[in-house]
Amino acid sequence: TWVVEYGLAGSSTSFLPRYYSAMFYALSIIATMYGDVGATNDAERLFTMVVMLLSSVVFAMVVGRITQLVLSFGEHRAEFRRKLKQSMMFLKRNSVQIDLQTRVR
């Protein structure tokens, strides 16, 4: 297991290295979907955790922006259809020729 791999099985290890190792393991599983990031000491683990957290935040921002962009396309299309419907109603109300109404569409 990861506890044995990081040498945390004994009770002689203090709290902070065990905490760093546990957080590192959890973040590496979440961020890389596999946990194959190899840090050997606490400084490397801390640095890698910060990088993984920052990269996760950047990834979430990019995905959120793309989602917002896709949704805005749907809003523009709905606005276009609403305006087209209003213009067609205006043309019918004012008895505009059918040929011209077809060209407006």
Side-chain angles (χ1 to χ4, degrees), residues 2 6 8 14-27 41-47 49:
W2 68 273
Y6 288 115
L8 302 173
S14 66
F15 175 74
L16 202 55
R18 286 187 291 164
Y19 183 77
Y20 282 155
S21 296
M23 284 298 293
F24 174 75
Y25 178 75
L27 282 173
N41 57 37
D42 289 340
E44 289 176 357
R45 286 185 189 111
L46 187 61
F47 175 76
M49 286 189 293

Side-chain angles (χ1 to χ4, degrees), residues 5-66:
E5 183 181 333
Y6 288 115
L8 302 173
S11 62
S12 63
T13 309
S14 66
F15 175 74
L16 202 55
R18 286 187 291 164
Y19 183 77
Y20 282 155
S21 296
M23 284 298 293
F24 174 75
Y25 178 75
L27 282 173
S28 66
I29 291 293
I30 291 170
T32 64
M33 302 283 191
Y34 181 65
D36 59 348
V37 179
T40 56
N41 57 37
D42 289 340
E44 289 176 357
R45 286 185 189 111
L46 187 61
F47 175 76
T48 306
M49 286 189 293
V50 169
V51 169
M52 284 190 284
L53 284 172
L54 288 175
S55 63
S56 297
V57 167
V58 169
F59 179 74
M61 289 175 61
V62 169
V63 169
R65 187 59 103 169
I66 290 172

Side-chain angles (χ1 to χ4, degrees), residues 63-97:
V63 169
R65 187 59 103 169
I66 290 172
T67 302
Q68 184 181 22
L69 197 96
V70 169
L71 289 176
S72 71
F73 287 146
E75 292 172 2
H76 291 300
R77 183 177 292 154
E79 179 69 17
F80 172 76
R81 288 184 186 195
R82 185 184 63 78
K83 286 182 179 180
L84 181 63
K85 185 176 179 181
Q86 286 177 343
S87 62
M88 293 308 295
M89 288 173 54
F90 173 80
L91 293 174
K92 285 182 182 180
R93 241 189 338 241
N94 292 312
S95 301
V96 175
Q97 297 174 350

